[in-house]
Amino acid sequence: MGKPTGFKEYERETPGERPAGERVGDYREFLIQLPVARLREQGARCMDCGFPFCHTGCPLGNIIPDFNDLVYRDDWAGAIRVLHATNNFPEFTGRVCPAPCEEACVLGINEPPVTIKNMELAIIDRAFEEGWVRPEPPEVRTGMKVAVVGSGPAGLAVGHQLNRAGHLVTVFERADRVGGLLRYGIPDFKLEKWVIDRRLDLMEAEGVVFRTGVHVGYDITGDRLQAEFDAIVLCGGSARPRDLPIAGRDLGGVHYAMEFLSQQNKRVAGDAEAFSRHGWWFGPACGDIVAKDKHVVVIGGGDTGSDCVGTSNRQGARSVTQFELLPEPPAGRPANQPWPYWPMKLRTSSSHKEGCERQWSILTKRFEGDAGRVTGLKTVHVEWVAANGSRPQMREVPGSERTWPADLVLLAMGFVGPEREGIVAQLGLELDERGNVKASEDDYQTNVSGVFACGDMRRGQSLVVWAISEGREAARAVDRYLMGSTSLPTKGRGDLPRR
């Protein structure tokens, strides 16, 4: 702890944002980083709190007080060593993680918490600028071959760790570019894709092999993978979006959010025409989806829905309305979700600030259309009633029916598990009660020997930071399976000793 009184002297300060009227005209990232002197002040706010609960809030177990202290001391090279010890890709989490570590910050009990997420981003961006992040190929190869299926954050973390352990890693991706939802789910205004490519270049220089355009289970079978590789790690994500099977669902203009978001990411990359051939992840062709001059309704109040709002505004929507089935949460931490737990409180994203009408406790009853195209939808307000300590039950409010104009409806209601066809069926993998691939947190191994699963494919829809964490833990389990023991770090301990 470099400055014991830092949390008393400095107020919490977060990065600035480009003006909303400016940033909706492009797809560049919207944050404006703080100057170094003020970043050091933010590092000084980290307390010598005895037991750093931020460690438990972070799924990666990042050694947060150490890198905050090093930033305050202006030792940025030391800070990136500590950060990289537990987090393979801080340039991703520093941009898109919701920062559960900050909600668990001890200072956050009665003051604004330390700006941990932005500190991560500042450290890794400085490290790349200074040339401190360089390829680190393993000195010795084991000769063991590992197939990683899926190149999202879990697959990249698995590949990164196992390659550093000396194994020969091949990452298979069915899309035309590597990155999974980092590439085709998160809009460029939150994560520009050169950030991904920069890291991929390093991984390739370290020896990781990427094979794109290979749909495992179809272009290459499970039997063939088992014959050619010593271990298989499934990181295919939770790729089945939740549907809304109500009247009018088949009308034109009603789409899954990922069809819309992925298509725009492809436009930014210069190859949107791929969607005339296939839709989201090789599904049926979904055509050209554009919000310009349309009344857009986004059904779903989470991060994916927010991304649809920001993308619709950039495309020139006439209006954007976002529906959420649950009640509007409180502005502060609810009494039944005390520190250090993650609170369900009102969160306003940068996309919401750009223009959006948010509606709470609203249920869509049916879509209406004309000539095969959606023209509106009918809704009813609901209330959530709990009786005798039971879970709240939804009840429609009489007389609250309403019709909304809608030329484009985007379904952003989450995901319901991995695809069950293809590799999952071919290998005969067991599923858990939620429909995810069944694998224990102890060893991440499925019911088939030598086949492992991690990330959203195993735990269900979750965060990028959880995917990286599971990828690291699964890599450790695979290394132990192949070699009988492992030197890869466990959660929160890192690749470097603590100071």
Side-chain angles (χ1 to χ4, degrees), residues 263-299:
Q263 188 175 110
Q264 182 55 45
N265 284 11
K266 281 182 166 288
R267 287 194 192 94
V268 175
D271 57 359
E273 299 203 357
F275 269 76
S276 65
R277 298 189 297 274
H278 57 74
W280 165 243
W281 278 171
F282 290 75
C286 56
D288 205 29
I289 311 172
V290 180
K292 183 174 176 59
D293 297 329
K294 294 177 181 176
H295 294 293
V296 179
V297 174
V298 180
I299 301 179

PDB file of all heavy atoms in Angstrom, residues 263-299:
ATOM      1  N   GLN A 263     -24.119  -9.332 -37.790  1.00  0.00           N
ATOM      2  CA  GLN A 263     -24.125  -8.780 -39.136  1.00  0.00           C
ATOM      3  C   GLN A 263     -23.455  -7.406 -39.165  1.00  0.00           C
ATOM      4  O   GLN A 263     -22.685  -7.107 -40.088  1.00  0.00           O
ATOM      5  CB  GLN A 263     -25.563  -8.684 -39.650  1.00  0.00           C
ATOM      6  CG  GLN A 263     -25.647  -8.309 -41.111  1.00  0.00           C
ATOM      7  CD  GLN A 263     -27.074  -8.335 -41.615  1.00  0.00           C
ATOM      8  OE1 GLN A 263     -27.645  -7.306 -41.905  1.00  0.00           O
ATOM      9  NE2 GLN A 263     -27.658  -9.518 -41.694  1.00  0.00           N
ATOM     10  N   GLN A 264     -23.730  -6.566 -38.161  1.00  0.00           N
ATOM     11  CA  GLN A 264     -23.098  -5.251 -38.143  1.00  0.00           C
ATOM     12  C   GLN A 264     -21.588  -5.360 -37.924  1.00  0.00           C
ATOM     13  O   GLN A 264     -20.809  -4.619 -38.521  1.00  0.00           O
ATOM     14  CB  GLN A 264     -23.724  -4.366 -37.063  1.00  0.00           C
ATOM     15  CG  GLN A 264     -23.135  -2.963 -37.026  1.00  0.00           C
ATOM     16  CD  GLN A 264     -23.226  -2.262 -38.378  1.00  0.00           C
ATOM     17  OE1 GLN A 264     -24.260  -2.287 -39.049  1.00  0.00           O
ATOM     18  NE2 GLN A 264     -22.130  -1.642 -38.801  1.00  0.00           N
ATOM     19  N   ASN A 265     -21.170  -6.282 -37.083  1.00  0.00           N
ATOM     20  CA  ASN A 265     -19.731  -6.483 -36.903  1.00  0.00           C
ATOM     21  C   ASN A 265     -19.074  -6.905 -38.211  1.00  0.00           C
ATOM     22  O   ASN A 265     -17.942  -6.511 -38.515  1.00  0.00           O
ATOM     23  CB  ASN A 265     -19.473  -7.528 -35.818  1.00  0.00           C
ATOM     24  CG  ASN A 265     -19.686  -6.976 -34.419  1.00  0.00           C
ATOM     25  OD1 ASN A 265     -20.220  -5.884 -34.247  1.00  0.00           O
ATOM     26  ND2 ASN A 265     -19.273  -7.724 -33.414  1.00  0.00           N
ATOM     27  N   LYS A 266     -19.781  -7.701 -38.991  1.00  0.00           N
ATOM     28  CA  LYS A 266     -19.245  -8.089 -40.293  1.00  0.00           C
ATOM     29  C   LYS A 266     -19.176  -6.895 -41.239  1.00  0.00           C
ATOM     30  O   LYS A 266     -18.241  -6.777 -42.031  1.00  0.00           O
ATOM     31  CB  LYS A 266     -20.093  -9.213 -40.897  1.00  0.00           C
ATOM     32  CG  LYS A 266     -19.788 -10.595 -40.306  1.00  0.00           C
ATOM     33  CD  LYS A 266     -20.623 -11.662 -40.983  1.00  0.00           C
ATOM     34  CE  LYS A 266     -20.074 -13.042 -40.649  1.00  0.00           C
ATOM     35  NZ  LYS A 266     -18.800 -13.324 -41.335  1.00  0.00           N
ATOM     36  N   ARG A 267     -20.164  -6.010 -41.159  1.00  0.00           N
ATOM     37  CA  ARG A 267     -20.103  -4.805 -41.992  1.00  0.00           C
ATOM     38  C   ARG A 267     -18.872  -3.976 -41.646  1.00  0.00           C
ATOM     39  O   ARG A 267     -18.165  -3.494 -42.531  1.00  0.00           O
ATOM     40  CB  ARG A 267     -21.355  -3.956 -41.790  1.00  0.00           C
ATOM     41  CG  ARG A 267     -22.610  -4.499 -42.410  1.00  0.00           C
ATOM     42  CD  ARG A 267     -23.702  -3.435 -42.443  1.00  0.00           C
ATOM     43  NE  ARG A 267     -24.987  -4.046 -42.781  1.00  0.00           N
ATOM     44  CZ  ARG A 267     -25.868  -4.454 -41.886  1.00  0.00           C
ATOM     45  NH1 ARG A 267     -25.618  -4.290 -40.598  1.00  0.00           N
ATOM     46  NH2 ARG A 267     -26.995  -5.011 -42.263  1.00  0.00           N
ATOM     47  N   VAL A 268     -18.645  -3.797 -40.355  1.00  0.00           N
ATOM     48  CA  VAL A 268     -17.485  -3.011 -39.932  1.00  0.00           C
ATOM     49  C   VAL A 268     -16.197  -3.660 -40.428  1.00  0.00           C
ATOM     50  O   VAL A 268     -15.243  -2.976 -40.808  1.00  0.00           O
ATOM     51  CB  VAL A 268     -17.467  -2.854 -38.401  1.00  0.00           C
ATOM     52  CG1 VAL A 268     -16.194  -2.142 -37.943  1.00  0.00           C
ATOM     53  CG2 VAL A 268     -18.692  -2.081 -37.923  1.00  0.00           C
ATOM     54  N   ALA A 269     -16.182  -4.990 -40.448  1.00  0.00           N
ATOM     55  CA  ALA A 269     -14.993  -5.715 -40.916  1.00  0.00           C
ATOM     56  C   ALA A 269     -14.896  -5.762 -42.433  1.00  0.00           C
ATOM     57  O   ALA A 269     -13.896  -6.214 -42.984  1.00  0.00           O
ATOM     58  CB  ALA A 269     -15.004  -7.149 -40.370  1.00  0.00           C
ATOM     59  N   GLY A 270     -15.979  -5.324 -43.123  1.00  0.00           N
ATOM     60  CA  GLY A 270     -15.939  -5.266 -44.572  1.00  0.00           C
ATOM     61  C   GLY A 270     -16.457  -6.486 -45.287  1.00  0.00           C
ATOM     62  O   GLY A 270     -16.227  -6.633 -46.490  1.00  0.00           O
ATOM     63  N   ASP A 271     -17.182  -7.380 -44.589  1.00  0.00           N
ATOM     64  CA  ASP A 271     -17.652  -8.596 -45.271  1.00  0.00           C
ATOM     65  C   ASP A 271     -19.076  -8.961 -44.866  1.00  0.00           C
ATOM     66  O   ASP A 271     -19.395 -10.106 -44.635  1.00  0.00           O
ATOM     67  CB  ASP A 271     -16.713  -9.767 -44.998  1.00  0.00           C
ATOM     68  CG  ASP A 271     -16.548 -10.058 -43.510  1.00  0.00           C
ATOM     69  OD1 ASP A 271     -17.145  -9.335 -42.690  1.00  0.00           O
ATOM     70  OD2 ASP A 271     -15.830 -11.010 -43.175  1.00  0.00           O
ATOM     71  N   ALA A 272     -19.961  -7.978 -44.823  1.00  0.00           N
ATOM     72  CA  ALA A 272     -21.345  -8.230 -44.408  1.00  0.00           C
ATOM     73  C   ALA A 272     -22.082  -9.168 -45.344  1.00  0.00           C
ATOM     74  O   ALA A 272     -23.072  -9.779 -44.961  1.00  0.00           O
ATOM     75  CB  ALA A 272     -22.106  -6.906 -44.310  1.00  0.00           C
ATOM     76  N   GLU A 273     -21.619  -9.308 -46.580  1.00  0.00           N
ATOM     77  CA  GLU A 273     -22.360 -10.118 -47.535  1.00  0.00           C
ATOM     78  C   GLU A 273     -22.386 -11.586 -47.165  1.00  0.00           C
ATOM     79  O   GLU A 273     -23.162 -12.347 -47.715  1.00  0.00           O
ATOM     80  CB  GLU A 273     -21.770  -9.934 -48.939  1.00  0.00           C
ATOM     81  CG  GLU A 273     -21.857  -8.501 -49.408  1.00  0.00           C
ATOM     82  CD  GLU A 273     -21.815  -8.383 -50.916  1.00  0.00           C
ATOM     83  OE1 GLU A 273     -21.659  -9.428 -51.562  1.00  0.00           O
ATOM     84  OE2 GLU A 273     -21.940  -7.265 -51.414  1.00  0.00           O
ATOM     85  N   ALA A 274     -21.560 -11.971 -46.202  1.00  0.00           N
ATOM     86  CA  ALA A 274     -21.594 -13.364 -45.764  1.00  0.00           C
ATOM     87  C   ALA A 274     -22.969 -13.734 -45.235  1.00  0.00           C
ATOM     88  O   ALA A 274     -23.389 -14.885 -45.289  1.00  0.00           O
ATOM     89  CB  ALA A 274     -20.539 -13.609 -44.684  1.00  0.00           C
ATOM     90  N   PHE A 275     -23.723 -12.760 -44.731  1.00  0.00           N
ATOM     91  CA  PHE A 275     -25.026 -13.060 -44.166  1.00  0.00           C
ATOM     92  C   PHE A 275     -26.103 -13.271 -45.217  1.00  0.00           C
ATOM     93  O   PHE A 275     -27.219 -13.649 -44.910  1.00  0.00           O
ATOM     94  CB  PHE A 275     -25.448 -11.970 -43.181  1.00  0.00           C
ATOM     95  CG  PHE A 275     -25.017 -12.282 -41.786  1.00  0.00           C
ATOM     96  CD1 PHE A 275     -23.703 -12.125 -41.403  1.00  0.00           C
ATOM     97  CD2 PHE A 275     -25.920 -12.778 -40.869  1.00  0.00           C
ATOM     98  CE1 PHE A 275     -23.294 -12.424 -40.121  1.00  0.00           C
ATOM     99  CE2 PHE A 275     -25.523 -13.086 -39.583  1.00  0.00           C
ATOM    100  CZ  PHE A 275     -24.208 -12.908 -39.205  1.00  0.00           C
ATOM    101  N   SER A 276     -25.793 -13.022 -46.468  1.00  0.00           N
ATOM    102  CA  SER A 276     -26.729 -13.414 -47.517  1.00  0.00           C
ATOM    103  C   SER A 276     -26.647 -14.919 -47.760  1.00  0.00           C
ATOM    104  O   SER A 276     -27.541 -15.503 -48.348  1.00  0.00           O
ATOM    105  CB  SER A 276     -26.417 -12.655 -48.809  1.00  0.00           C
ATOM    106  OG  SER A 276     -25.143 -13.035 -49.312  1.00  0.00           O
ATOM    107  N   ARG A 277     -25.566 -15.525 -47.279  1.00  0.00           N
ATOM    108  CA  ARG A 277     -25.379 -16.960 -47.448  1.00  0.00           C
ATOM    109  C   ARG A 277     -25.818 -17.756 -46.218  1.00  0.00           C
ATOM    110  O   ARG A 277     -26.291 -18.871 -46.305  1.00  0.00           O
ATOM    111  CB  ARG A 277     -23.913 -17.260 -47.758  1.00  0.00           C
ATOM    112  CG  ARG A 277     -23.419 -16.635 -49.046  1.00  0.00           C
ATOM    113  CD  ARG A 277     -22.036 -17.152 -49.412  1.00  0.00           C
ATOM    114  NE  ARG A 277     -21.026 -16.804 -48.425  1.00  0.00           N
ATOM    115  CZ  ARG A 277     -20.353 -15.661 -48.417  1.00  0.00           C
ATOM    116  NH1 ARG A 277     -20.620 -14.739 -49.335  1.00  0.00           N
ATOM    117  NH2 ARG A 277     -19.434 -15.416 -47.512  1.00  0.00           N
ATOM    118  N   HIS A 278     -25.637 -17.179 -45.029  1.00  0.00           N
ATOM    119  CA  HIS A 278     -26.047 -17.873 -43.812  1.00  0.00           C
ATOM    120  C   HIS A 278     -26.267 -16.841 -42.713  1.00  0.00           C
ATOM    121  O   HIS A 278     -25.810 -15.716 -42.784  1.00  0.00           O
ATOM    122  CB  HIS A 278     -24.996 -18.897 -43.371  1.00  0.00           C
ATOM    123  CG  HIS A 278     -23.626 -18.309 -43.156  1.00  0.00           C
ATOM    124  ND1 HIS A 278     -23.312 -17.520 -42.061  1.00  0.00           N
ATOM    125  CD2 HIS A 278     -22.503 -18.386 -43.897  1.00  0.00           C
ATOM    126  CE1 HIS A 278     -22.035 -17.147 -42.147  1.00  0.00           C
ATOM    127  NE2 HIS A 278     -21.529 -17.646 -43.247  1.00  0.00           N
ATOM    128  N   GLY A 279     -27.000 -17.253 -41.700  1.00  0.00           N
ATOM    129  CA  GLY A 279     -27.288 -16.364 -40.591  1.00  0.00           C
ATOM    130  C   GLY A 279     -26.351 -16.600 -39.426  1.00  0.00           C
ATOM    131  O   GLY A 279     -25.194 -16.979 -39.583  1.00  0.00           O
ATOM    132  N   TRP A 280     -26.879 -16.375 -38.253  1.00  0.00           N
ATOM    133  CA  TRP A 280     -26.072 -16.519 -37.039  1.00  0.00           C
ATOM    134  C   TRP A 280     -25.529 -17.931 -36.932  1.00  0.00           C
ATOM    135  O   TRP A 280     -26.261 -18.904 -36.865  1.00  0.00           O
ATOM    136  CB  TRP A 280     -26.944 -16.172 -35.821  1.00  0.00           C
ATOM    137  CG  TRP A 280     -26.400 -16.598 -34.503  1.00  0.00           C
ATOM    138  CD1 TRP A 280     -26.964 -17.490 -33.631  1.00  0.00           C
ATOM    139  CD2 TRP A 280     -25.194 -16.160 -33.893  1.00  0.00           C
ATOM    140  NE1 TRP A 280     -26.196 -17.632 -32.520  1.00  0.00           N
ATOM    141  CE2 TRP A 280     -25.085 -16.826 -32.657  1.00  0.00           C
ATOM    142  CE3 TRP A 280     -24.183 -15.282 -34.271  1.00  0.00           C
ATOM    143  CZ2 TRP A 280     -24.016 -16.620 -31.803  1.00  0.00           C
ATOM    144  CZ3 TRP A 280     -23.121 -15.076 -33.419  1.00  0.00           C
ATOM    145  CH2 TRP A 280     -23.043 -15.743 -32.204  1.00  0.00           C
ATOM    146  N   TRP A 281     -24.187 -18.021 -36.940  1.00  0.00           N
ATOM    147  CA  TRP A 281     -23.495 -19.299 -36.796  1.00  0.00           C
ATOM    148  C   TRP A 281     -24.016 -20.364 -37.762  1.00  0.00           C
ATOM    149  O   TRP A 281     -24.421 -21.456 -37.363  1.00  0.00           O
ATOM    150  CB  TRP A 281     -23.616 -19.808 -35.386  1.00  0.00           C
ATOM    151  CG  TRP A 281     -22.682 -19.288 -34.361  1.00  0.00           C
ATOM    152  CD1 TRP A 281     -22.775 -19.525 -33.020  1.00  0.00           C
ATOM    153  CD2 TRP A 281     -21.501 -18.500 -34.516  1.00  0.00           C
ATOM    154  NE1 TRP A 281     -21.755 -18.903 -32.351  1.00  0.00           N
ATOM    155  CE2 TRP A 281     -20.958 -18.278 -33.240  1.00  0.00           C
ATOM    156  CE3 TRP A 281     -20.853 -17.943 -35.617  1.00  0.00           C
ATOM    157  CZ2 TRP A 281     -19.805 -17.539 -33.047  1.00  0.00           C
ATOM    158  CZ3 TRP A 281     -19.709 -17.193 -35.403  1.00  0.00           C
ATOM    159  CH2 TRP A 281     -19.195 -17.009 -34.150  1.00  0.00           C
ATOM    160  N   PHE A 282     -24.072 -20.007 -39.018  1.00  0.00           N
ATOM    161  CA  PHE A 282     -24.387 -20.981 -40.062  1.00  0.00           C
ATOM    162  C   PHE A 282     -25.845 -21.433 -40.050  1.00  0.00           C
ATOM    163  O   PHE A 282     -26.185 -22.496 -40.556  1.00  0.00           O
ATOM    164  CB  PHE A 282     -23.484 -22.218 -39.981  1.00  0.00           C
ATOM    165  CG  PHE A 282     -22.060 -21.941 -40.363  1.00  0.00           C
ATOM    166  CD1 PHE A 282     -21.221 -21.263 -39.503  1.00  0.00           C
ATOM    167  CD2 PHE A 282     -21.567 -22.334 -41.585  1.00  0.00           C
ATOM    168  CE1 PHE A 282     -19.906 -20.995 -39.846  1.00  0.00           C
ATOM    169  CE2 PHE A 282     -20.255 -22.062 -41.941  1.00  0.00           C
ATOM    170  CZ  PHE A 282     -19.419 -21.387 -41.073  1.00  0.00           C
ATOM    171  N   GLY A 283     -26.719 -20.634 -39.449  1.00  0.00           N
ATOM    172  CA  GLY A 283     -28.141 -20.943 -39.509  1.00  0.00           C
ATOM    173  C   GLY A 283     -28.721 -20.503 -40.845  1.00  0.00           C
ATOM    174  O   GLY A 283     -27.993 -20.116 -41.763  1.00  0.00           O
ATOM    175  N   PRO A 284     -30.049 -20.540 -40.983  1.00  0.00           N
ATOM    176  CA  PRO A 284     -30.681 -20.096 -42.239  1.00  0.00           C
ATOM    177  C   PRO A 284     -30.350 -18.641 -42.530  1.00  0.00           C
ATOM    178  O   PRO A 284     -30.143 -17.838 -41.629  1.00  0.00           O
ATOM    179  CB  PRO A 284     -32.177 -20.278 -41.949  1.00  0.00           C
ATOM    180  CG  PRO A 284     -32.246 -21.245 -40.825  1.00  0.00           C
ATOM    181  CD  PRO A 284     -31.018 -21.017 -40.003  1.00  0.00           C
ATOM    182  N   ALA A 285     -30.291 -18.304 -43.790  1.00  0.00           N
ATOM    183  CA  ALA A 285     -29.998 -16.925 -44.177  1.00  0.00           C
ATOM    184  C   ALA A 285     -31.034 -15.989 -43.574  1.00  0.00           C
ATOM    185  O   ALA A 285     -32.231 -16.248 -43.626  1.00  0.00           O
ATOM    186  CB  ALA A 285     -29.985 -16.806 -45.696  1.00  0.00           C
ATOM    187  N   CYS A 286     -30.575 -14.890 -42.961  1.00  0.00           N
ATOM    188  CA  CYS A 286     -31.505 -13.981 -42.292  1.00  0.00           C
ATOM    189  C   CYS A 286     -31.681 -12.679 -43.051  1.00  0.00           C
ATOM    190  O   CYS A 286     -32.425 -11.806 -42.613  1.00  0.00           O
ATOM    191  CB  CYS A 286     -31.008 -13.690 -40.877  1.00  0.00           C
ATOM    192  SG  CYS A 286     -29.334 -13.031 -40.794  1.00  0.00           S
ATOM    193  N   GLY A 287     -31.024 -12.540 -44.195  1.00  0.00           N
ATOM    194  CA  GLY A 287     -31.174 -11.329 -44.971  1.00  0.00           C
ATOM    195  C   GLY A 287     -30.474 -10.142 -44.335  1.00  0.00           C
ATOM    196  O   GLY A 287     -29.808 -10.257 -43.312  1.00  0.00           O
ATOM    197  N   ASP A 288     -30.675  -8.998 -44.948  1.00  0.00           N
ATOM    198  CA  ASP A 288     -30.027  -7.778 -44.479  1.00  0.00           C
ATOM    199  C   ASP A 288     -30.882  -7.155 -43.376  1.00  0.00           C
ATOM    200  O   ASP A 288     -32.047  -6.825 -43.602  1.00  0.00           O
ATOM    201  CB  ASP A 288     -29.876  -6.812 -45.655  1.00  0.00           C
ATOM    202  CG  ASP A 288     -28.740  -5.830 -45.454  1.00  0.00           C
ATOM    203  OD1 ASP A 288     -27.779  -6.190 -44.764  1.00  0.00           O
ATOM    204  OD2 ASP A 288     -28.834  -4.715 -45.989  1.00  0.00           O
ATOM    205  N   ILE A 289     -30.327  -6.985 -42.181  1.00  0.00           N
ATOM    206  CA  ILE A 289     -31.060  -6.431 -41.043  1.00  0.00           C
ATOM    207  C   ILE A 289     -30.504  -5.050 -40.741  1.00  0.00           C
ATOM    208  O   ILE A 289     -29.350  -4.919 -40.310  1.00  0.00           O
ATOM    209  CB  ILE A 289     -30.932  -7.330 -39.794  1.00  0.00           C
ATOM    210  CG1 ILE A 289     -31.228  -8.792 -40.132  1.00  0.00           C
ATOM    211  CG2 ILE A 289     -31.847  -6.840 -38.689  1.00  0.00           C
ATOM    212  CD1 ILE A 289     -30.926  -9.742 -38.993  1.00  0.00           C
ATOM    213  N   VAL A 290     -31.302  -4.019 -40.961  1.00  0.00           N
ATOM    214  CA  VAL A 290     -30.860  -2.635 -40.767  1.00  0.00           C
ATOM    215  C   VAL A 290     -31.942  -1.871 -40.023  1.00  0.00           C
ATOM    216  O   VAL A 290     -33.132  -1.985 -40.333  1.00  0.00           O
ATOM    217  CB  VAL A 290     -30.549  -1.947 -42.115  1.00  0.00           C
ATOM    218  CG1 VAL A 290     -30.085  -0.520 -41.887  1.00  0.00           C
ATOM    219  CG2 VAL A 290     -29.492  -2.726 -42.887  1.00  0.00           C
ATOM    220  N   ALA A 291     -31.533  -1.050 -39.041  1.00  0.00           N
ATOM    221  CA  ALA A 291     -32.482  -0.314 -38.209  1.00  0.00           C
ATOM    222  C   ALA A 291     -32.811   1.071 -38.753  1.00  0.00           C
ATOM    223  O   ALA A 291     -33.694   1.746 -38.207  1.00  0.00           O
ATOM    224  CB  ALA A 291     -31.915  -0.178 -36.794  1.00  0.00           C
ATOM    225  N   LYS A 292     -32.150   1.511 -39.796  1.00  0.00           N
ATOM    226  CA  LYS A 292     -32.311   2.876 -40.292  1.00  0.00           C
ATOM    227  C   LYS A 292     -33.784   3.212 -40.555  1.00  0.00           C
ATOM    228  O   LYS A 292     -34.492   2.466 -41.228  1.00  0.00           O
ATOM    229  CB  LYS A 292     -31.500   3.073 -41.576  1.00  0.00           C
ATOM    230  CG  LYS A 292     -31.543   4.506 -42.124  1.00  0.00           C
ATOM    231  CD  LYS A 292     -30.608   4.664 -43.303  1.00  0.00           C
ATOM    232  CE  LYS A 292     -30.731   6.062 -43.914  1.00  0.00           C
ATOM    233  NZ  LYS A 292     -30.417   7.126 -42.929  1.00  0.00           N
ATOM    234  N   ASP A 293     -34.219   4.340 -39.976  1.00  0.00           N
ATOM    235  CA  ASP A 293     -35.570   4.891 -40.158  1.00  0.00           C
ATOM    236  C   ASP A 293     -36.665   3.975 -39.640  1.00  0.00           C
ATOM    237  O   ASP A 293     -37.831   4.131 -40.015  1.00  0.00           O
ATOM    238  CB  ASP A 293     -35.836   5.217 -41.635  1.00  0.00           C
ATOM    239  CG  ASP A 293     -34.899   6.295 -42.174  1.00  0.00           C
ATOM    240  OD1 ASP A 293     -34.491   7.175 -41.383  1.00  0.00           O
ATOM    241  OD2 ASP A 293     -34.560   6.236 -43.366  1.00  0.00           O
ATOM    242  N   LYS A 294     -36.325   3.050 -38.769  1.00  0.00           N
ATOM    243  CA  LYS A 294     -37.321   2.111 -38.253  1.00  0.00           C
ATOM    244  C   LYS A 294     -37.582   2.337 -36.768  1.00  0.00           C
ATOM    245  O   LYS A 294     -36.724   2.828 -36.031  1.00  0.00           O
ATOM    246  CB  LYS A 294     -36.854   0.662 -38.469  1.00  0.00           C
ATOM    247  CG  LYS A 294     -36.774   0.262 -39.930  1.00  0.00           C
ATOM    248  CD  LYS A 294     -36.244  -1.164 -40.084  1.00  0.00           C
ATOM    249  CE  LYS A 294     -36.156  -1.536 -41.570  1.00  0.00           C
ATOM    250  NZ  LYS A 294     -35.568  -2.877 -41.763  1.00  0.00           N
ATOM    251  N   HIS A 295     -38.773   1.965 -36.340  1.00  0.00           N
ATOM    252  CA  HIS A 295     -39.087   1.874 -34.916  1.00  0.00           C
ATOM    253  C   HIS A 295     -38.557   0.512 -34.442  1.00  0.00           C
ATOM    254  O   HIS A 295     -39.049  -0.536 -34.871  1.00  0.00           O
ATOM    255  CB  HIS A 295     -40.592   1.963 -34.677  1.00  0.00           C
ATOM    256  CG  HIS A 295     -41.183   3.299 -35.037  1.00  0.00           C
ATOM    257  ND1 HIS A 295     -40.890   4.450 -34.342  1.00  0.00           N
ATOM    258  CD2 HIS A 295     -42.047   3.653 -36.023  1.00  0.00           C
ATOM    259  CE1 HIS A 295     -41.551   5.465 -34.872  1.00  0.00           C
ATOM    260  NE2 HIS A 295     -42.252   5.022 -35.907  1.00  0.00           N
ATOM    261  N   VAL A 296     -37.570   0.546 -33.587  1.00  0.00           N
ATOM    262  CA  VAL A 296     -36.913  -0.679 -33.120  1.00  0.00           C
ATOM    263  C   VAL A 296     -37.363  -0.981 -31.695  1.00  0.00           C
ATOM    264  O   VAL A 296     -37.346  -0.101 -30.817  1.00  0.00           O
ATOM    265  CB  VAL A 296     -35.380  -0.538 -33.160  1.00  0.00           C
ATOM    266  CG1 VAL A 296     -34.716  -1.813 -32.655  1.00  0.00           C
ATOM    267  CG2 VAL A 296     -34.913  -0.206 -34.572  1.00  0.00           C
ATOM    268  N   VAL A 297     -37.759  -2.217 -31.460  1.00  0.00           N
ATOM    269  CA  VAL A 297     -38.076  -2.685 -30.116  1.00  0.00           C
ATOM    270  C   VAL A 297     -37.111  -3.813 -29.770  1.00  0.00           C
ATOM    271  O   VAL A 297     -37.001  -4.794 -30.516  1.00  0.00           O
ATOM    272  CB  VAL A 297     -39.530  -3.175 -29.999  1.00  0.00           C
ATOM    273  CG1 VAL A 297     -39.773  -3.791 -28.619  1.00  0.00           C
ATOM    274  CG2 VAL A 297     -40.500  -2.023 -30.232  1.00  0.00           C
ATOM    275  N   VAL A 298     -36.401  -3.652 -28.661  1.00  0.00           N
ATOM    276  CA  VAL A 298     -35.462  -4.665 -28.176  1.00  0.00           C
ATOM    277  C   VAL A 298     -36.112  -5.352 -26.987  1.00  0.00           C
ATOM    278  O   VAL A 298     -36.440  -4.696 -25.988  1.00  0.00           O
ATOM    279  CB  VAL A 298     -34.123  -4.027 -27.762  1.00  0.00           C
ATOM    280  CG1 VAL A 298     -33.168  -5.100 -27.250  1.00  0.00           C
ATOM    281  CG2 VAL A 298     -33.508  -3.260 -28.924  1.00  0.00           C
ATOM    282  N   ILE A 299     -36.306  -6.651 -27.055  1.00  0.00           N
ATOM    283  CA  ILE A 299     -36.924  -7.406 -25.963  1.00  0.00           C
ATOM    284  C   ILE A 299     -35.813  -8.097 -25.177  1.00  0.00           C
ATOM    285  O   ILE A 299     -35.182  -9.032 -25.657  1.00  0.00           O
ATOM    286  CB  ILE A 299     -37.947  -8.420 -26.502  1.00  0.00           C
ATOM    287  CG1 ILE A 299     -39.036  -7.692 -27.294  1.00  0.00           C
ATOM    288  CG2 ILE A 299     -38.566  -9.211 -25.353  1.00  0.00           C
ATOM    289  CD1 ILE A 299     -40.090  -8.601 -27.888  1.00  0.00           C
TER     290      ILE A 299
END
